[in-house]
Amino acid sequence: MQNRGLIKFFAIIFALVCVYQLSFTFVANSIVSDAKAFANGDNAKELRYLDSIGKEKVYLGHTYKEVTNNQINKGLDLEGGLNVILQISVKDVLKGLANDSKNPVFIKALADAKANQQGNQDYIDAFFEAANTAGLKLAAADVFGNRNLDEVIKFDMTNKQVEPIIKQKVQESVESAFKVLRERIDKFGVTQPNIQLLGNSGRILVELPGAKDVDRIKKLLQSTAQLEFWETYKIEEVGQYLMSVEDALKKTEVAIKEAPVKTTGIDSLLTDKADTTATANSPFLGKMLAPGQQGSPHIGTFATKDTASINGYLKRADIKAMLPANLANIRFAWGKTNEKNPDITDLYALKGTRDNVAPLSGGVIVDATDTFDQLGNPAVSMQMNGNGSRKWEQITGAVSQQGNAIAIVLDNIVYSAPGVSKGAITGGRSEISGNFSIEETKDLANILRAGKLPAAAEIVQSEVVGPSLGQEAIDNGFLSFIIGFSLVLLWMVVYYGKTGFYANLALLINILFIFGTLASFGAVLTLPGIAGIVLTIGMAVDANVIIFERAKEELNNGKSVQEATDYAFTWKGAMSSIIDANITTAITAIILLVFGTGPIQGFATTLLIGIFTSVITAVFITRMFLDWSLSRNEKLAYSTSLTKNWFKNLNIDFLGKKKIAYAVSGILIALSIFSLATKGLNQGVDFVGGRTYQVRFDKAVSAPEVTSDLVAVFGSAEAKIYGNDNQLKITTKYKIEEEGEGIDKEVNQKLYEGLKKHLPADLTYEKFANLYEGKQIGILSSAKVTGTISKDIKANSLWAVLGSLFVVFVYLMISFRKWQFGFGAVAAVAHDVIIVLGIFSFFYTILPFNMEIDQAFIAAILTVIGYSLNDTVIVFDRIREYLDYNSSPDFKGLVNKALNTTLSRTINTSATTLVVLIAIFIFGGETIRGFVFAILVGILVGTYSSLFIATPVMADAIGKKEGRKMAEFKKED
């Protein structure tokens, strides 16, 4: 080998760099262990400790923050924490840009856009389509040609000219939301948060490793922080109107058969009303649990469960038409519920301006801090700017004289409504008090300092993983890694002897290179990523096997060990096969990286890195060890006494058996299509939307019984045993499309109520729902995917599979200069995919592990595609070689010879990879078992198809006449 010294030099340098990069991971883990020991289970204390040493130099002149930035980061499935994708409401942004236009065509276009939005289509593009279909002129004065945008949008502009301007304005709003969220999260105190804008979709990815207070964080992320200050109406000002509403509703609502309702306090304020007794048919005031007293800021107290029906009444057009002139700008709002009594809430009547907006908004706040009021209750102190201070002085002065109150409203919820008894408040400093916890005041102050979101943020996809589950995943992943790696090392020595030992040394260096590269790139290691590394180990053997098998062939042809070794490492020897095989696998990994998200991208990243390092170590490092051995005159045989005659002098007529193979494959494909058509697939929430929970109990539970309990709560739900009989996977679509920061918490609370009889009596909701170290009972992980994003995931998955097939077809057609080679390979891959889908369709109700079709399954399918192509390309490469060197004038015999001479490589590589996958399947844990099973089945089917489908289809496509012509042409050449 030329330049052996240079290669050795670069190998040593690369190894040292990898060791250096990995050292940051060891140091960071050591510091985190010290922090955990110091905190003794107190998460807040642990975070404060790590925060306090963030700028201290802890390793080779690097601060702790720099050390953590250089370590291998663990994904949520290993670390635990929260991963969400937030969708900034483009609809709200468009309404704001249109100055809350009441144009009915505009409003209909907004609604149609949501209804007609296709998978992978941005909402704004769907809106433009709906607007153009409806004939809406975007530059109209009552749409986007208003005073807010008149500098950039002119009345005579066409829709095509307006669209890019609106897109830019929407993108600016999304970027503003991104900055606000980053500010909030930075102040929240989560270590190593990751916040990314996802293209131009209006979506923002937020990853918070180690986060544990899930409900609190979701509220922090979704709160728009629309802070407003309203004057309130006194009950005597609205009492007459409320009685009129009651009378009107009695005529339209069905009588409620219940006990007579006591006379309300409102009646005593209306002495001129003759008949004031609330009857059994009292749809509105009959729901009032207690009236507001004269001078109180609220007009009545209602049951929380009745708020929806009350809202419906007050928003009815006929009820709103009854408003007298002095109440024309009234707005009704509910108060913040008290955690000690969440079943009741107060109704407020707010006094707006002529435009029915708040007299003062939170945009005037320049600073906010969490504090305590005069009674020692948690509160938030705010400082306003100059304009806000002046307006605040006017409002508080008026309220002081009128005797009403100022409602402090955050995201349409009244947090408090204090009166002003000592005259106007000057200086712009004020305080929000109410039913706050200390955490709420901290979060509210944080939100007000960071600013408000420009539009509502809906969580369209989320994943929550507990730290205990993450540790289990690490333990399972490490165990499967050790077992799989050990079996591969053992097999290489058994089969190839001393050369296998040198290949194992190169394999160890390959592992160092993989982890070192991951650390250098700041990549995130996930459980599928660990599977990718273990799978890479199995596939890394492939390059060495190709080289060793080629060297063995040359030895059998009479060459010396040195000559055989030299030839095996040439392009004509094994290199062309290695490069072609790895490029096809890399293509599928790149497509996974582009179309996948989260853990799937982690799998694709490690697979790509593994492909690169495997080729480097097999071609250069293994060669270096072999040359070193030959220079010492060591005896190398590329086999052992046990294996030297294996696969020797084979003469199987593969093409002669193609009819049998076609028949077997035809039956399997027909059965698969029948099962897919009749039984379908067990589609996960990734594809159909919904919520899933992994819940563990302290004893065995009955899945049918739990399902029945949850159906009573949610209307529809499903519970399945997940791994052990004390663990369930629960799926429901309850309120999956509803928006709002409290929806997720509401669903969690309902889940808790539905499961309560199966849980320990002392397990509170907080312990059931939130994450903490050592958690063993309750929700260990959860995921949420809304219908909008599930359509995108399904579309991405389809394009990923079809795109990989197309790209590989084009590559093989160019590489082999015949379209038939690409056709044969793609036909075999399509065969493999259909059969794997059929097996998942038929067995998902039979086998005792998760067989959902989700993003991980698509990753498995693409891996199968890559692996099957890898096998096929090796055979095709040998056929091309035989054609080039005219080994046989008979095309059929030439193809059969290629299949026979590469069979040892096919069996060896498949066997080592299957051994590794079986280790992962058994020891890798429940969360990855279905994913690995798909790859296992795919490799078995792919090995078969590369021998009995791909090559026969290619040969049939070429035909006897063309095949004879190809062989004869090479003979003349």
Side-chain angles (χ1 to χ4, degrees):
M1 181 173 64
Q2 300 294 321
N3 302 315
R4 187 183 308 162
L6 188 62
I7 291 171
K8 187 185 294 185
F9 171 77
F10 279 116
I12 292 171
I13 293 297
F14 193 22
L16 290 174
V17 170
C18 289
V19 170
Y20 172 73
Q21 289 292 342
L22 288 172
S23 67
F24 288 99
T25 301
F26 289 111
V27 171
N29 287 340
S30 175
I31 292 173
V32 169
S33 296
D34 292 342
K36 288 183 183 298
F38 171 77
N40 196 25
D42 186 335
N43 183 56
K45 190 176 181 181
E46 180 185 332
L47 288 174
R48 283 196 300 271
Y49 175 84
L50 294 175
D51 233 17
S52 68
I53 63 169
K55 295 181 180 179
E56 289 184 17
K57 293 182 178 180
V58 295
Y59 178 64
L60 300 178
H62 293 282
T63 64
Y64 172 67
K65 188 172 183 179
E66 291 170 339
V67 167
T68 56
N69 289 337
N70 285 290
Q71 70 171 334
I72 296 179
N73 297 312
K74 295 193 288 287
L76 296 187
D77 51 1
L78 299 178
E79 176 79 5
L82 176 69
N83 173 318
V84 301
I85 294 179
L86 291 159
Q87 174 73 66
I88 300 302
S89 176
V90 176
K91 179 181 178 180
D92 287 352
V93 175
L94 291 173
K95 287 168 70 176
L97 291 172
N99 205 19
D100 285 322
S101 170
K102 302 299 187 288
N103 183 318
V105 183
F106 171 72
I107 293 171
K108 185 176 184 302
L110 291 173
D112 288 347
K114 187 170 181 66
N116 301 330
Q117 189 178 359
Q118 300 298 312
N120 256 358
Q121 183 184 35
D122 292 341
Y123 176 86
I124 191 167
D125 291 326
F127 166 75
F128 289 145
E129 282 184 13
N132 289 326
T133 301
L136 177 67
K137 183 176 174 58
L138 298 178
D142 62 345
V143 188
F144 298 120
N146 56 68
R147 63 176 181 269
N148 293 333
L149 297 170
D150 59 5
E151 291 184 7
V152 289
I153 295 179
K154 306 302 179 186
F155 179 76
D156 57 351
M157 282 184 170
T158 64
N159 281 7
K160 207 162 198 176
Q161 292 172 312
V162 173
E163 286 175 9
I165 299 172
I166 298 304
K167 275 192 172 183
Q168 178 61 33
K169 293 292 182 183
V170 168
Q171 187 60 24
E172 288 173 3
S173 294
V174 173
E175 289 172 359
S176 171
F178 174 73
K179 292 174 183 175
V180 169
L181 286 171
R182 187 169 56 191
E183 287 285 329
R184 291 184 187 179
I185 290 165
D186 284 346
K187 293 181 175 69
F188 188 75
V190 176
T191 57
Q192 292 182 287
N194 175 33
I195 312 166
Q196 298 176 24
L197 273 173
L198 300 179
N200 297 316
S201 62
R203 291 176 183 155
I204 299 172
L205 169 68
V206 180
E207 293 179 317
L208 304 175
K212 295 179 175 63
D213 196 341
V214 176
D215 289 338
R216 180 184 171 197
I217 293 172
K218 285 185 175 180
K219 182 177 179 181
L220 174 77
L221 294 176
Q222 289 186 277
S223 176
T224 58
Q226 187 73 35
L227 181 66
E228 297 169 327
F229 301 92
W230 297 71
E231 288 187 49
T232 63
Y233 283 104
K234 291 181 285 189
I235 192 168
E236 52 265 37
E237 295 176 293
V238 298
Q240 185 71 47
Y241 170 67
L242 296 182
M243 291 300 297
S244 301
V245 170
E246 173 76 357
D247 292 340
L249 290 174
K250 284 179 181 180
K251 299 174 183 177
T252 61
E253 299 302 298
V254 178
I256 303 169
K257 295 181 180 180
E258 56 185 27
V261 182
K262 293 180 181 179
T263 303
T264 69
I266 291 178
D267 301 284
S268 61
L269 301 174
L270 305 172
T271 52
D272 60 332
K273 187 78 174 175
D275 181 14
T276 61
T277 304
T279 67
N281 181 19
S282 182
F284 181 44
L285 296 180
K287 290 184 171 65
M288 187 181 290
L289 302 178
Q293 300 302 311
Q294 187 169 2
S296 68
H298 65 276
I299 58 178
T301 301
F302 293 80
T304 307
K305 64 182 178 65
D306 290 330
T307 55
S309 59
I310 298 298
N311 286 339
Y313 294 149
L314 295 175
K315 289 179 180 178
R316 270 174 41 175
D318 59 326
I319 299 300
K320 291 172 74 173
M322 296 168 56
L323 284 166
N326 65 314
L327 299 180
N329 298 318
I330 195 172
R331 177 187 285 191
F332 292 98
W334 295 102
K336 182 179 181 293
T337 56
N338 189 329
E339 287 193 2
K340 293 181 180 178
N341 196 357
D343 297 327
I344 62 171
T345 185
D346 295 326
L347 181 64
Y348 293 81
L350 310 180
K351 186 185 300 184
T353 63
R354 289 182 180 178
D355 297 326
N356 201 19
V357 296
L360 186 63
S361 74
V364 300
I365 305 297
V366 294
D367 190 25
T369 56
D370 54 295
T371 182
F372 295 90
D373 62 18
Q374 293 178 344
L375 299 176
N377 297 317
V380 176
S381 176
M382 304 174 299
Q383 178 61 54
M384 301 178 181
N385 60 23
N387 290 333
S389 298
R390 287 189 289 273
K391 186 66 176 175
W392 184 243
E393 186 175 349
Q394 294 172 11
I395 295 172
T396 53
V399 167
S400 177
Q401 293 177 3
Q402 296 164 6
N404 55 341
I406 296 176
I408 299 172
V409 183
L410 182 66
D411 293 336
N412 296 317
I413 300 293
V414 179
Y415 272 66
S416 62
V420 182
S421 58
K422 297 181 180 179
I425 300 174
T426 60
R429 179 161 289 279
S430 56
E431 190 175 80
I432 304 177
S433 59
N435 296 317
F436 290 112
S437 67
I438 293 175
E439 289 79 12
E440 285 177 323
T441 57
K442 288 182 182 297
D443 290 345
L444 180 55
N446 175 4
I447 289 170
L448 294 177
R449 285 195 302 271
K452 69 174 185 174
L453 291 174
E458 179 194 357
I459 294 178
V460 293
Q461 184 176 356
S462 68
E463 182 183 11
V464 180
V465 180
S468 304
L469 203 61
Q471 188 57 50
E472 287 179 16
I474 292 173
D475 295 340
N476 292 334
F478 184 72
L479 181 62
S480 66
F481 178 86
I482 294 298
I483 293 172
F485 189 53
S486 300
L487 290 172
V488 169
L489 295 180
L490 178 63
W491 175 252
M492 289 299 288
V493 173
V494 168
Y495 195 87
Y496 291 108
K498 189 175 288 186
T499 50
F501 172 75
Y502 290 133
N504 286 342
L505 290 178
L507 201 57
L508 289 168
I509 294 172
N510 184 32
I511 299 299
L512 174 64
F513 286 176
I514 290 174
F515 281 101
T517 306
L518 284 171
S520 299
F521 288 166
V524 176
L525 187 63
T526 61
L527 190 56
I530 291 176
I533 292 172
V534 180
L535 182 60
T536 298
I537 293 169
M539 296 178 69
V541 175
D542 183 47
N544 282 313
V545 168
I546 295 171
I547 293 167
F548 291 175
E549 289 299 318
R550 195 52 193 259
K552 193 190 297 184
E553 286 179 34
E554 298 306 315
L555 283 173
N556 292 335
N557 291 334
K559 289 183 179 179
S560 68
V561 175
Q562 182 69 62
E563 289 172 335
T565 302
D566 289 342
Y567 186 82
F569 280 92
T570 63
W571 184 260
K572 294 177 182 178
M575 289 306 103
S576 61
S577 298
I578 291 171
I579 297 303
D580 279 337
N582 281 281
I583 284 177
T584 53
T585 308
I587 287 171
T588 58
I590 290 169
I591 290 171
L592 263 180
L593 193 65
V594 171
F595 288 97
T597 58
I600 304 309
Q601 285 185 324
F603 173 76
T605 301
T606 54
L607 197 58
L608 274 172
I609 291 171
I611 289 167
F612 174 76
T613 58
S614 296
V615 172
I616 295 298
T617 52
V619 173
F620 295 108
I621 305 300
T622 303
R623 177 68 189 276
M624 191 170 66
F625 285 133
L626 293 176
D627 283 349
W628 175 80
S629 177
L630 288 169
S631 69
R632 290 162 52 89
N633 295 318
E634 291 183 353
K635 186 179 179 181
L636 295 178
Y638 293 102
S639 62
T640 64
S641 57
L642 175 67
T643 61
K644 65 180 180 180
N645 292 318
W646 289 11
F647 303 105
K648 201 171 183 180
N649 301 320
L650 292 174
N651 190 25
I652 302 171
D653 185 7
F654 287 97
L655 293 187
K657 295 174 172 58
K658 67 181 181 182
K659 290 183 179 179
I660 298 173
Y662 286 170
V664 170
S665 292
I667 292 170
L668 290 175
I669 289 173
L671 290 173
S672 296
I673 292 173
F674 177 76
S675 182
L676 288 167
T678 57
K679 191 176 180 182
L681 292 162
N682 181 24
Q683 296 187 62
V685 296
D686 284 359
F687 287 167
V688 296
R691 304 171 191 270
T692 62
Y693 299 87
Q694 183 177 341
V695 182
R696 189 174 291 171
F697 302 83
D698 62 337
K699 57 188 176 184
V701 290
S702 165
E705 183 183 351
V706 170
T707 297
S708 177
D709 293 339
L710 293 177
V711 167
V713 174
F714 291 127
S716 67
E718 183 182 43
K720 293 181 179 178
I721 295 294
Y722 193 65
N724 300 323
D725 57 8
N726 69 328
Q727 187 167 261
L728 296 178
K729 186 168 189 178
I730 295 168
T731 306
T732 179
K733 287 191 175 183
Y734 181 75
K735 289 195 173 182
I736 191 61
E737 297 300 338
E738 290 196 25
E739 303 174 6
E741 66 182 58
I743 297 297
D744 288 345
K745 184 174 181 179
E746 177 192 338
V747 178
N748 286 351
Q749 287 173 328
K750 282 184 172 291
L751 179 66
Y752 174 66
E753 292 300 324
L755 297 176
K756 202 167 186 178
K757 73 177 187 181
H758 305 282
L759 297 167
D762 60 345
L763 187 73
T764 63
Y765 166 76
E766 286 70 24
K767 287 187 176 181
F768 170 78
N770 286 319
L771 310 178
Y772 53 88
E773 297 290 344
K775 181 176 182 179
Q776 292 297 324
I777 307 297
I779 299 175
L780 298 187
S781 72
S782 64
K784 167 190 172 183
V785 181
T786 63
T788 302
I789 205 164
S790 68
K791 287 191 291 185
D792 290 357
I793 292 171
K794 190 178 288 187
N796 279 340
S797 300
L798 180 63
W799 284 115
V801 174
L802 295 178
S804 65
L805 292 177
F806 175 75
V807 173
V808 166
F809 172 78
V810 171
Y811 172 77
L812 292 178
M813 184 177 67
I814 294 171
S815 179
F816 289 91
R817 301 183 297 280
K818 287 283 183 180
W819 65 267
Q820 290 91 339
F821 285 92
F823 177 69
V826 170
V829 166
H831 161 279
D832 301 343
V833 170
I834 291 170
I835 291 177
V836 172
L837 285 171
I839 288 172
F840 266 66
S841 172
F842 184 79
F843 286 104
Y844 79 81
T845 56
I846 300 171
L847 294 178
F849 52 85
N850 177 44
M851 295 181 73
E852 284 187 352
I853 306 300
D854 53 16
Q855 289 188 87
F857 177 81
I858 297 303
I861 287 293
L862 287 171
T863 305
V864 167
I865 289 173
Y867 195 91
S868 179
L869 288 167
N870 189 309
D871 263 356
T872 301
V873 165
I874 298 299
V875 178
F876 285 0
D877 203 75
R878 186 59 62 90
I879 294 171
R880 177 173 59 181
E881 179 189 340
Y882 285 166
L883 284 170
D884 287 342
Y885 291 96
N886 188 27
S887 296
S888 170
D890 173 24
F891 183 70
K892 178 183 175 182
L894 180 150
V895 171
N896 272 326
K897 184 177 179 181
L899 284 164
N900 280 283
T901 54
T902 56
L903 187 60
S904 60
R905 174 265 160 200
T906 300
I907 300 300
N908 256 318
T909 302
S910 296
T912 52
T913 307
L914 285 170
V915 162
V916 171
L917 286 169
I918 289 170
I920 306 174
F921 180 78
I922 296 172
F923 302 105
E926 189 63 34
T927 55
I928 204 170
R929 194 157 284 144
F931 166 71
V932 175
F933 181 73
I935 300 178
L936 259 172
V937 172
I939 286 177
L940 285 170
V941 176
T943 302
Y944 158 80
S945 70
S946 66
L947 295 171
F948 294 102
I949 302 298
T951 308
V953 167
M954 178 273 295
D956 286 346
I958 288 176
K960 292 181 181 179
K961 186 177 179 180
E962 179 66 17
R964 190 181 307 113
K965 184 179 177 181
M966 289 167 63
E968 287 175 354
F969 177 79
K970 293 302 175 185
K971 185 177 182 180
E972 293 171 2
D973 195 46

